[in-house]
């Protein structure tokens, strides 16, 4: 009798579905993955069983509603390994920008009956609510990350994670530095690689979609961006964007916002 395949689930929370599409865009590799595991819940691909007990659970999206808070607890209990994927799940995502403003106030101004909007005051990453075994950063993640994580876990080894900065990836691709050559406010010096330096290779500045790299020197980059002509508020916004909930970027954003209200003499 053949051994049962490991069971896998893909869950969606508050997000744009981009990281789930990273799965679907695997094409034939997704079919090969299905030969190694049994995909028991992946609503966007077909199977629906949100309460299934699984070996590996991927979670896309941030916790933004009271229902999300309850659901992530159940998923954690039903999963041997829980992996958060993408900027929303690892750092709150774009919706975490509301953490910097009066979210309830916005809802009251937009909706005629705001009492019917069941939303939390903040958007927070999965790890803020339950233990997470692995975080895959990116907006969105790429298929190589996903497949690498699954294969590693199937062999009971810790998945290898990218630790280099985008600048190193640019060097590997022999891409011209847009920060030096064009004076663009590139976030590559503080951003984790994983995208293959996609934006700089096409002549535009990195906007930090893979989150903070290991040991990012945000202060130095902020000063360099000031040297390019960005005012402190604009520097803050470079950090407080897709991954505004990442501690390193959140701290840098707060620092440069403080310069707006309390500038140096």
């Amino acid at each position: 009798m053949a051994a049962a395949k490991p069971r896998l689930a893909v869950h969606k929370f508050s997000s744009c579905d981009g990281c789930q599409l990273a799965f679907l865009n695997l094409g034939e590799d997704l079919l090969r993955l299905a030969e190694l595991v049994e995909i028991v819940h992946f609503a966007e691909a077909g199977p629906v069983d949100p309460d299934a007990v699984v070996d590996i659970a991927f979670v896309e999206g941030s916790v933004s509603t009271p229902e999300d808070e309850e659901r992530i607890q159940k998923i954690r209990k039903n999963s041997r390994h829980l992996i958060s994927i993408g900027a929303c799940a690892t750092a709150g995502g774009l919706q975490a920008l509301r953490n910097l403003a009066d979210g309830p106030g916005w809802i009251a101004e937009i909706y005629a009956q705001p009492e019917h909007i069941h939303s939390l005051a903040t958007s927070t990453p999965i790890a803020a609510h339950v233990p997470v075994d692995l975080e895959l950063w990116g907006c969105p993640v790429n298929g190589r990350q996903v497949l690498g994580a699954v294969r590693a876990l199937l062999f009971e080894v810790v998945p290898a994670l990218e630790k280099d900065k985008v600048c190193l990836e640019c060097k590997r691709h022999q891409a011209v530095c847009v920060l030096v050559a064009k004076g663009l406010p590139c976030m590559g010096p503080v951003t984790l690689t994983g995208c293959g330096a996609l934006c700089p290779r096409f002549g535009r500045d990195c906007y930090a979609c893979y989150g903070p790299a290991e040991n990012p020197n945000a202060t130095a980059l902020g000063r360099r961006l000031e040297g390019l002509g960005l005012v402190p508020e604009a520097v803050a916004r470079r950090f407080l964007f897709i991954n505004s909930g990442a501690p390193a970027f959140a701290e840098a954003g707060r620092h440069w916002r403080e310069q707006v209200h309390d500038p140096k003499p």
Side-chain angles (χ1 to χ4, degrees):
M1 182 176 179
K5 294 180 182 179
R7 292 157 62 85
L8 182 145
V10 182
H11 297 274
K12 171 185 165 56
F13 282 70
S14 298
S15 63
C16 70
D17 288 18
C19 292
Q20 291 183 86
L21 290 176
F23 274 90
L24 297 178
N25 289 338
L26 288 172
E28 292 185 2
D29 285 337
L30 181 59
L31 298 179
R32 282 191 281 271
L33 176 62
E35 294 176 356
L36 300 175
V37 300
E38 180 186 0
I39 302 175
V40 296
H41 174 72
F42 188 179
E44 192 147 327
V48 177
D49 187 359
D51 297 326
V53 176
V54 298
D55 296 285
I56 302 173
F58 286 96
V59 179
E60 175 199 72
S62 65
V63 175
S64 298
T65 68
E67 179 188 8
D68 287 344
E69 286 185 306
E70 296 178 6
R71 191 157 57 95
I72 192 58
Q73 296 294 335
K74 183 180 295 185
I75 292 171
R76 175 68 272 189
K77 291 178 182 178
N78 289 339
S79 308
R80 182 182 176 196
H81 299 292
L82 191 150
I83 303 174
S84 56
I85 57 173
C88 296
T90 56
L94 279 173
Q95 57 267 34
L97 290 172
R98 77 181 191 219
N99 302 353
L100 307 173
D102 180 11
W106 283 357
I107 292 176
E109 291 177 0
I110 294 172
Y111 296 97
Q113 295 178 302
E115 64 273 13
H116 294 301
I117 305 300
H118 302 295
S119 177
L120 297 174
T122 58
S123 171
T124 47
I126 300 302
H129 300 269
V130 297
V132 171
D133 299 302
L134 180 67
E135 292 182 327
L136 299 181
W137 293 69
C139 187
V141 292
N142 62 60
R144 177 176 55 81
Q145 287 174 288
V146 172
L147 288 178
V150 172
R151 286 187 176 275
L153 291 174
L154 291 180
F155 286 98
E156 299 292 340
V157 298
V158 178
L161 298 177
E162 297 275 9
K163 292 187 177 180
D164 291 341
K165 296 178 173 67
V166 170
C167 291
L168 289 176
E169 195 70 21
C170 280
K171 299 298 184 294
R172 295 187 186 108
H173 288 279
Q174 300 182 8
V176 174
C177 177
V178 297
L179 179 64
V180 174
K182 295 185 176 182
L184 297 179
C186 185
M187 296 293 288
V190 297
T191 300
L192 189 69
T193 189
C195 60
L198 181 62
C199 290
R201 286 195 293 118
F202 282 88
R204 68 145 296 167
D205 45 309
C206 166
Y207 52 93
C209 65
Y210 270 74
E214 189 176 32
N215 303 317
N217 192 339
T219 300
L221 179 62
R223 290 172 181 165
R224 182 70 185 91
L225 297 183
E226 272 197 313
L228 295 177
L230 272 67
V231 297
E233 179 63 26
V235 175
R237 288 180 179 274
R238 297 298 294 180
F239 290 98
L240 301 176
F241 187 35
I242 293 176
N243 286 289
S244 64
F249 285 178
E251 181 179 351
R254 283 193 297 268
H255 169 77
W256 292 103
R257 284 186 124 191
E258 288 172 358
Q259 307 306 308
V260 178
H261 304 292
D262 186 23
K264 296 179 181 178

